[in-house]
Amino acid sequence: MNKPSLFLDRVLPVLTVIAVILVIWHVAVVYLNAPFVRDQAARAGTVVTLGEIIPQTFNQERPILPAPHQIIAELWDTTIAKPITSKRSLVYHAWVTLSATLMGFGMGTVLGILLAVGIVHNRAMDKSLMPWVIASQTIPILAIAPMIIVVLNSIGISGLLPKALISTYLSFFPIVVGMVKGLRSPDVLLLDLMHTYNASRTQTFWKLRWPAALPYLFTSLKVAIAISLVGAIVGELPTGAVAGLGARLLSGSYYGQTIQIWAALFMAAALAAVLVSIIGLAHTQVLKRMGAKP
């Protein structure tokens, strides 16, 4: 049997997918941006060949689809070339969004765990509350976010908290679902064994249910932190915010700055990847402390 190879099993598949995406992306750049080049040539009364069109599609100031090198240049300019205190720095805007994300994620985590504990230990909550938790996620966040922002602004609450509440609304759901499944995951024989030890419900919870639920909790946290970031970005859109990744997307759409929009999207994706990776590392360390095999 062949030994597992890190390059063949993990690195090569990822590089292959990236290469395919880049090929499709470059073809799409030419296809989508070419009409503008032809239109400009027609207005100037000149004829352009395909060899002349292709280079121009990759260097337009406001392309329909930016080329990868344009996005990389914009990211470099707004992260490395600009001081992080500048309002044109993506690092500054990412921090504004991250602060609301973490606050909403924290509140969503606490709320989700408390609701899950109540649902598992109280039959009435299980039958009445769980359907409402599920139904709450059927309402589009784009419909709820403006209402939350407007209502809170009308009573003098603005800034970080409204955006954090939108993140809370999105992030608590996967934690509730994951923790309910995790807290109910111990085998009936193990629960009976705790009963024979005359263990209280509190002892059963901390010594059996909680350890069994931790893998489910961390899996839910990975989903929750990502959608919490989405909630923070969406929360910045209805307010016409001047800071945050949502504000960069909004201003880019106002002025047709597609390169700015794509740079903000890539920054948001990178931020989400970092947050999910941090939770993944914490998950690994917790499992090691619990005696799980690597």
Side-chain angles (χ1 to χ4, degrees):
M1 183 175 180
N2 295 329
K3 293 182 178 180
S5 171
L6 176 63
F7 178 78
L8 293 178
D9 295 341
R10 296 189 179 184
V11 178
L12 184 60
V14 172
L15 293 178
T16 303
V17 171
I18 292 174
V20 172
I21 291 174
L22 287 175
V23 170
I24 296 174
W25 191 343
H26 281 78
V27 173
V29 167
V30 176
Y31 178 76
L32 294 175
N33 296 337
F36 178 79
V37 177
R38 294 194 186 98
D39 183 60
Q40 291 294 97
R43 290 182 181 182
T46 60
V47 178
V48 289
T49 63
L50 180 61
E52 295 172 329
I53 290 176
I54 292 177
Q56 295 183 49
T57 60
F58 284 90
N59 293 287
Q60 293 179 8
E61 184 178 350
R62 295 182 180 181
I64 295 177
L65 177 63
H69 74 274
Q70 292 178 299
I71 299 173
I72 293 172
E74 176 71 11
L75 284 170
W76 178 272
D77 181 58
T78 53
T79 55
I80 306 300
K82 295 281 190 303
I84 61 174
T85 54
S86 171
K87 292 187 177 180
R88 295 187 62 189
S89 170
L90 269 182
V91 177
Y92 167 79
H93 291 285
W95 168 249
V96 173
T97 301
L98 179 62
S99 58
T101 299
L102 294 178
M103 184 177 180
F105 173 69
M107 293 191 296
T109 299
V110 173
L111 177 62
I113 292 175
L114 291 178
L115 289 176
V117 172
I119 289 170
V120 169
H121 289 88
N122 188 295
R123 186 172 179 81
M125 287 187 66
D126 184 21
K127 296 299 182 182
S128 61
L129 186 59
M130 193 62 181
W132 283 104
V133 170
I134 297 172
S136 69
Q137 301 301 303
T138 62
I139 306 173
I141 188 60
L142 289 176
I144 291 181
M147 292 189 290
I148 295 176
I149 298 295
V150 171
V151 169
L152 292 180
N153 280 338
S154 66
I155 59 176
I157 301 176
S158 59
L160 184 65
L161 185 58
K163 294 189 295 182
L165 287 177
I166 296 171
S167 294
T168 301
Y169 174 80
L170 289 177
S171 63
F172 89 98
F173 176 72
I175 295 174
V176 172
V177 174
M179 283 300 290
V180 167
K181 185 174 181 62
L183 292 172
R184 287 175 172 168
S185 62
D187 192 87
V188 176
L189 293 176
L190 297 176
L191 293 172
D192 288 342
L193 181 62
M194 295 297 291
H195 184 68
T196 61
Y197 291 159
N198 197 29
S200 64
R201 295 182 72 177
T202 302
Q203 290 174 319
T204 302
F205 176 82
W206 289 112
K207 295 182 182 298
L208 180 59
R209 290 189 185 273
W210 180 256
L214 282 179
Y216 296 86
L217 173 61
F218 279 100
T219 301
S220 301
L221 290 178
K222 292 177 183 178
V223 178
I225 191 66
I227 59 176
S228 182
L229 178 63
V230 173
I233 292 174
V234 170
E236 292 167 351
L237 299 178
T239 61
V242 296
L245 295 177
R248 293 288 290 180
L249 294 172
L250 197 61
S251 64
S253 66
Y254 281 160
Y255 301 107
Q257 298 288 347
T258 52
I259 298 176
Q260 175 180 313
I261 294 173
W262 278 82
L265 288 173
F266 270 75
M267 189 67 175
L271 185 59
V274 170
L275 294 173
V276 172
S277 298
I278 291 173
I279 294 177
L281 290 174
H283 186 192
T284 302
Q285 293 303 315
V286 168
L287 290 181
K288 285 183 180 179
R289 292 291 298 272
M290 293 174 63
K293 293 182 179 180

